[in-house]
């Protein structure tokens, strides 16, 4: 099944409230749709007669070798979508040789997930809370559990309004679930206040502390769509940035990530790692992201579609399927090395 087939199958089997939470975005969901459309607007300029008998999707991220540039984006509460929650995601990602970025809003402890993911293939996402002691504690736990990087999400300083959740389905954290990496010991319904309780006072100056709390782990800042912000993040010590608008879930009509990627790569690509997420649904999208200067991509909703349909097998199939599509697209575009996709492989967007 390709990603679109997983989406249809997941929609058919997922509870309506959980589906609204998964599929929805902020406001009129303009950015949710535009993220997907933006990759499609860019056109490939394939090369011919380049001997593509040996194609490698392998690359390096943060200096470490990886088999595929397709990563699992951090997404909350996998327990909503499969009884094994993040443990199923971890197993599927590991079988697909994909790096798993665990959400701080996971329904499984980061230590349990760490035991299910190989070394070098797990990173920890976090939100910085006003109570810095809570943030420091999770940084220390992530370092102790062998996570290789921290992904600090910065696009959510105030609570957004997701129309589908609020008006149509009244989403909340189900009473049966705990969030052991965000608020250990706190139970629903008090949890929701914490889920939405990120520190609005956060600035670039806070980034250095975060890495220090995790024993110097590399920090990637997630949710950057501008050259000046990317520059300020790297100046403040970030190892890289993730060009992201949270899958259109925070600020509606935010620029699509495929379009924002270029200015961020131009600004910091020479001295920092640039990753991108939002709307990646096909191997050709991954190829375009690499050509535009991203080192890797993260995939959000499609992984959860796979999880909802078939647990670890579904997660594996979505990730391995995207990597296989990438391999085919590379061959057809005259490109054998995912770590060296030329910029001129894509033409200007339509
Ligand atoms: C259901 C859901 C939950 C998410 N939870 C988080 C989260 O906890 N932390 C975070 O940084 N991003 C979160 N995201 C955003 C993803 O990391 C990613 O930026 C986005 O899903 C990429 O877009 P895509 O879904 O089109 O691939 C979430 C996305 C979804 C769909």
């Amino acid at each position: 099944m390709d990603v679109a087939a997983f989406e249809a199958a997941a929609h058919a089997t997922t509870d309506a409230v959980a589906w609204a939470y998964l599929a929805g975005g902020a406001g009129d969901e303009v950015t949710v749709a535009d993220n997907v459309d933006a990759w499609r607007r860019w056109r490939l300029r394939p090369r011919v007669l380049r001997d593509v008998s040996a194609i490698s999707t392998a690359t390096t991220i943060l200096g470490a070798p990886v088999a595929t540039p397709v990563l699992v984006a951090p997404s909350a509460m996998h327990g909503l979508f499969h009884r094994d929650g993040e443990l199923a995601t971890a197993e599927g990602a590991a079988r697909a040789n994909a790096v798993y970025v665990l959400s701080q809003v996971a329904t499984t402890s980061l230590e349990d997930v760490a035991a299910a993911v190989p070394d070098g293939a797990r990173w920890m996402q976090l939100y910085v809370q006003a109570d810095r002691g809570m943030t420091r504690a999770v940084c220390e736990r992530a370092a102790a559990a062998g996570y290789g990087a921290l992904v600090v999400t910065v696009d959510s300083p105030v609570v957004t309004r997701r129309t589908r959740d609020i008006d149509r389905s009244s989403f909340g954290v189900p009473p049966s679930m705990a969030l052991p990496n965000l608020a250990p010991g706190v139970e629903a319904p008090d949890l929701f206040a914490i889920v939405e309780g990120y520190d609005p006072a956060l600035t670039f100056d806070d980034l250095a502390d975060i890495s220090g709390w995790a024993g110097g782990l590399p920090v990637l800042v997630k949710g950057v769509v501008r050259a000046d912000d990317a520059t300020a993040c790297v100046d403040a010590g970030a190892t890289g940035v993730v060009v992201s608008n949270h899958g259109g879930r925070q600020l509606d009509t935010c620029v699509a990530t495929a379009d924002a990627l270029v200015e961020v790569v131009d600004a910091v690509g020479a001295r920092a790692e640039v990753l991108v997420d939002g709307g990646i649904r096909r191997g050709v999208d991954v190829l375009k992201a690499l050509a535009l200067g991203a080192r890797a991509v993260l995939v959000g909703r499609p992984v959860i579609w796979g999880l909802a349909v078939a647990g670890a097998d579904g997660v594996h199939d979505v990730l391995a399927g995207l990597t296989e599509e990438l391999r085919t697209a590379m061959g057809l575009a005259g490109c054998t090395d995912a770590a060296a996709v030329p910029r001129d492989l894509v033409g200007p967007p339509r």
Side-chain angles (χ1 to χ4, degrees), residues 280-338:
I280 300 273
R281 301 292 180 264
R282 285 284 188 190
V284 286
D285 302 335
V286 183
L287 183 60
K288 290 172 191 174
L290 300 180
L292 292 172
R295 182 149 284 276
V297 304
L298 293 78
V299 178
R301 294 181 184 83
V303 169
I304 307 177
W305 299 333
L307 176 69
V309 172
D313 288 344
V315 170
H316 166 270
D317 289 356
V318 164
L319 295 166
L322 283 170
T323 300
E324 211 39 53
E325 285 187 4
L326 168 64
R327 184 187 303 279
T328 304
M330 287 171 66
L332 293 170
C335 189
T336 55
D337 182 0

Side-chain angles (χ1 to χ4, degrees), residues 74-76 103 125 127 153 222 244 246-247 277-279 281 300-301:
S75 60
S103 166
Q125 178 267 330
Y127 292 105
T153 301
K222 175 172 179 279
S244 174
H246 218 108
D277 75 18
R281 301 292 180 264
R301 294 181 184 83

Side-chain angles (χ1 to χ4, degrees), residues 16-271:
V17 172
W19 183 259
Y21 172 68
L22 169 59
D28 298 313
E29 301 181 358
V30 171
T31 299
V32 175
D34 201 30
N35 275 346
V36 174
D37 292 343
W39 294 112
R40 295 181 178 176
R41 286 196 290 268
W42 288 87
R43 287 289 178 265
L44 285 163
R45 302 175 61 244
R47 305 185 302 181
V48 296
L49 297 170
R50 301 297 163 121
D51 183 0
V52 293
S53 50
I55 297 169
S56 171
T57 62
T59 188
T60 58
I61 313 177
L62 300 176
V66 292
T68 173
V70 179
L71 281 58
V72 177
S75 60
M77 292 185 279
H78 289 190
L80 286 173
F81 303 102
H82 190 272
R83 65 181 177 280
D84 297 333
E86 287 81 8
L87 291 179
T89 311
E91 184 190 330
R95 276 170 27 207
N97 295 312
V99 170
Y100 181 14
V101 186
L102 178 68
S103 166
Q104 186 179 11
V105 195
T107 41
T108 309
S109 81
L110 65 88
E111 290 82 4
D112 287 351
V113 172
V117 183
D119 287 344
R122 54 183 187 270
W123 299 355
M124 182 74 208
Q125 178 267 330
L126 57 96
Y127 292 105
V128 178
Q129 290 163 272
D131 179 345
R132 291 291 197 276
M134 290 175 81
T135 301
R136 180 176 187 145
V138 79
C139 289
E140 289 171 355
R141 285 173 58 195
Y147 284 77
L150 296 176
V151 176
V152 180
T153 301
V154 297
D155 55 17
S156 316
V158 295
V159 178
T160 191
R161 180 178 174 80
R162 293 201 194 120
T163 318
R164 290 200 216 193
D165 291 347
I166 294 165
D167 294 349
R168 287 176 237 164
S169 72
S170 298
F171 179 77
V173 181
S176 57
M177 286 183 196
L179 302 177
N181 311 310
L182 186 70
V186 180
E187 293 184 359
D190 296 342
L191 272 177
F192 206 56
I194 299 171
V195 173
E196 300 290 348
Y198 312 123
D199 186 4
L202 193 71
T203 72
F204 298 103
D205 296 337
D206 293 292
L207 295 175
D209 283 345
I210 294 163
S211 173
W213 293 333
L217 278 182
V219 168
L220 294 135
V221 181
K222 175 172 179 279
V224 173
V225 294
R226 296 168 53 109
D228 54 356
D229 281 357
T231 301
C233 288
V234 177
D235 287 347
T239 306
V241 295
V242 182
V243 175
S244 174
N245 53 35
H246 218 108
R249 297 166 72 80
Q250 298 303 122
L251 177 64
D252 196 24
T253 74
C254 176
V255 61
T257 48
D259 298 334
L261 177 60
V262 177
E263 74 171 79
V264 172
V265 167
D266 286 349
V268 300
R271 62 188 179 117

